[in-house]
mmCIF file of all heavy atoms in Angstrom:
data_model
loop_
_atom_site.group_PDB
_atom_site.id
_atom_site.type_symbol
_atom_site.label_atom_id
_atom_site.label_comp_id
_atom_site.label_asym_id
_atom_site.label_seq_id
_atom_site.Cartn_x
_atom_site.Cartn_y
_atom_site.Cartn_z
ATOM 1 N N LEU A 9 -2.935 0.030 8.968
ATOM 2 C CA LEU A 9 -2.013 -0.453 7.927
ATOM 3 C C LEU A 9 -1.821 -1.965 7.981
ATOM 4 O O LEU A 9 -0.968 -2.503 7.265
ATOM 5 C CB LEU A 9 -0.652 0.245 8.086
ATOM 6 C CG LEU A 9 -0.679 1.760 7.888
ATOM 7 C CD1 LEU A 9 0.678 2.351 8.234
ATOM 8 C CD2 LEU A 9 -1.040 2.123 6.462
ATOM 9 N N VAL A 14 -3.226 -3.060 -2.455
ATOM 10 C CA VAL A 14 -2.806 -2.153 -3.502
ATOM 11 C C VAL A 14 -3.290 -2.756 -4.825
ATOM 12 O O VAL A 14 -3.102 -3.955 -5.070
ATOM 13 C CB VAL A 14 -1.259 -2.049 -3.515
ATOM 14 C CG1 VAL A 14 -0.774 -1.109 -4.626
ATOM 15 C CG2 VAL A 14 -0.721 -1.592 -2.147
ATOM 16 N N GLY A 16 -4.738 -1.923 -9.206
ATOM 17 C CA GLY A 16 -5.277 -1.161 -10.331
ATOM 18 C C GLY A 16 -5.925 -2.146 -11.276
ATOM 19 O O GLY A 16 -5.845 -3.363 -11.057
ATOM 20 N N GLU A 27 -15.415 -5.244 -8.227
ATOM 21 C CA GLU A 27 -15.799 -6.520 -7.607
ATOM 22 C C GLU A 27 -14.625 -7.040 -6.746
ATOM 23 O O GLU A 27 -14.817 -7.515 -5.632
ATOM 24 C CB GLU A 27 -16.171 -7.490 -8.729
ATOM 25 C CG GLU A 27 -16.750 -8.807 -8.269
ATOM 26 C CD GLU A 27 -17.938 -8.643 -7.321
ATOM 27 O OE1 GLU A 27 -18.752 -7.711 -7.498
ATOM 28 O OE2 GLU A 27 -18.012 -9.453 -6.384
ATOM 29 N N VAL A 28 -13.405 -6.932 -7.288
ATOM 30 C CA VAL A 28 -12.226 -7.418 -6.566
ATOM 31 C C VAL A 28 -12.059 -6.625 -5.264
ATOM 32 O O VAL A 28 -11.851 -7.191 -4.195
ATOM 33 C CB VAL A 28 -10.957 -7.328 -7.458
ATOM 34 C CG1 VAL A 28 -9.704 -7.642 -6.656
ATOM 35 C CG2 VAL A 28 -11.079 -8.271 -8.653
ATOM 36 N N ASP A 68 -17.933 4.381 1.347
ATOM 37 C CA ASP A 68 -19.122 3.680 1.830
ATOM 38 C C ASP A 68 -18.757 2.607 2.858
ATOM 39 O O ASP A 68 -19.525 2.323 3.753
ATOM 40 C CB ASP A 68 -19.875 3.013 0.662
ATOM 41 C CG ASP A 68 -20.539 4.035 -0.251
ATOM 42 O OD1 ASP A 68 -20.627 5.212 0.136
ATOM 43 O OD2 ASP A 68 -20.965 3.639 -1.363
ATOM 44 N N ASP A 77 1.215 7.795 -6.486
ATOM 45 C CA ASP A 77 2.050 8.562 -7.419
ATOM 46 C C ASP A 77 1.432 9.853 -7.984
ATOM 47 O O ASP A 77 2.147 10.827 -8.158
ATOM 48 C CB ASP A 77 2.450 7.623 -8.576
ATOM 49 C CG ASP A 77 3.512 8.200 -9.490
ATOM 50 O OD1 ASP A 77 3.988 9.310 -9.204
ATOM 51 O OD2 ASP A 77 3.862 7.561 -10.487
ATOM 52 N N GLU A 80 -2.378 14.968 -8.771
ATOM 53 C CA GLU A 80 -3.630 15.564 -9.250
ATOM 54 C C GLU A 80 -4.822 14.619 -9.064
ATOM 55 O O GLU A 80 -5.919 15.049 -8.672
ATOM 56 C CB GLU A 80 -3.517 15.962 -10.725
ATOM 57 C CG GLU A 80 -3.272 17.427 -10.889
ATOM 58 C CD GLU A 80 -2.090 17.749 -11.759
ATOM 59 O OE1 GLU A 80 -2.116 17.334 -12.927
ATOM 60 O OE2 GLU A 80 -1.141 18.380 -11.242
ATOM 61 N N LEU A 90 -1.603 10.189 -0.350
ATOM 62 C CA LEU A 90 -0.831 9.984 -1.575
ATOM 63 C C LEU A 90 0.369 9.115 -1.199
ATOM 64 O O LEU A 90 0.983 9.310 -0.136
ATOM 65 C CB LEU A 90 -0.340 11.341 -2.088
ATOM 66 C CG LEU A 90 0.579 11.340 -3.314
ATOM 67 C CD1 LEU A 90 -0.201 10.926 -4.582
ATOM 68 C CD2 LEU A 90 1.169 12.749 -3.549
ATOM 69 N N GLU A 95 11.123 7.252 -7.434
ATOM 70 C CA GLU A 95 11.239 7.859 -8.777
ATOM 71 C C GLU A 95 10.099 8.861 -9.040
ATOM 72 O O GLU A 95 10.038 9.472 -10.094
ATOM 73 C CB GLU A 95 11.180 6.780 -9.878
ATOM 74 C CG GLU A 95 12.500 6.073 -10.109
ATOM 75 C CD GLU A 95 12.656 4.883 -9.145
ATOM 76 O OE1 GLU A 95 11.661 4.191 -8.931
ATOM 77 O OE2 GLU A 95 13.742 4.719 -8.588
ATOM 78 N N ALA A 129 7.206 11.898 5.811
ATOM 79 C CA ALA A 129 6.325 10.764 5.540
ATOM 80 C C ALA A 129 5.501 10.431 6.787
ATOM 81 O O ALA A 129 5.968 10.605 7.912
ATOM 82 C CB ALA A 129 7.145 9.540 5.139
ATOM 83 N N LEU A 154 15.315 -5.765 5.951
ATOM 84 C CA LEU A 154 15.121 -4.321 5.728
ATOM 85 C C LEU A 154 14.249 -3.709 6.825
ATOM 86 O O LEU A 154 14.534 -2.604 7.326
ATOM 87 C CB LEU A 154 14.503 -4.072 4.339
ATOM 88 C CG LEU A 154 14.103 -2.628 4.010
ATOM 89 C CD1 LEU A 154 15.343 -1.702 4.041
ATOM 90 C CD2 LEU A 154 13.428 -2.545 2.648
ATOM 91 N N GLY A 164 10.325 4.918 14.347
ATOM 92 C CA GLY A 164 9.097 4.420 14.953
ATOM 93 C C GLY A 164 7.873 4.618 14.094
ATOM 94 O O GLY A 164 6.774 4.238 14.480
ATOM 95 N N SER A 193 -0.793 -8.975 -5.726
ATOM 96 C CA SER A 193 -1.278 -10.213 -6.361
ATOM 97 C C SER A 193 -1.877 -11.205 -5.373
ATOM 98 O O SER A 193 -2.773 -11.966 -5.757
ATOM 99 C CB SER A 193 -0.150 -10.857 -7.180
ATOM 100 O OG SER A 193 0.967 -11.112 -6.391
#
Side-chain angles (χ1 to χ4, degrees):
L9 297 173
V14 180
E27 187 53 36
V28 172
D68 290 348
D77 191 3
E80 259 128 60
L90 177 69
E95 280 86 41
L154 174 61
S193 57

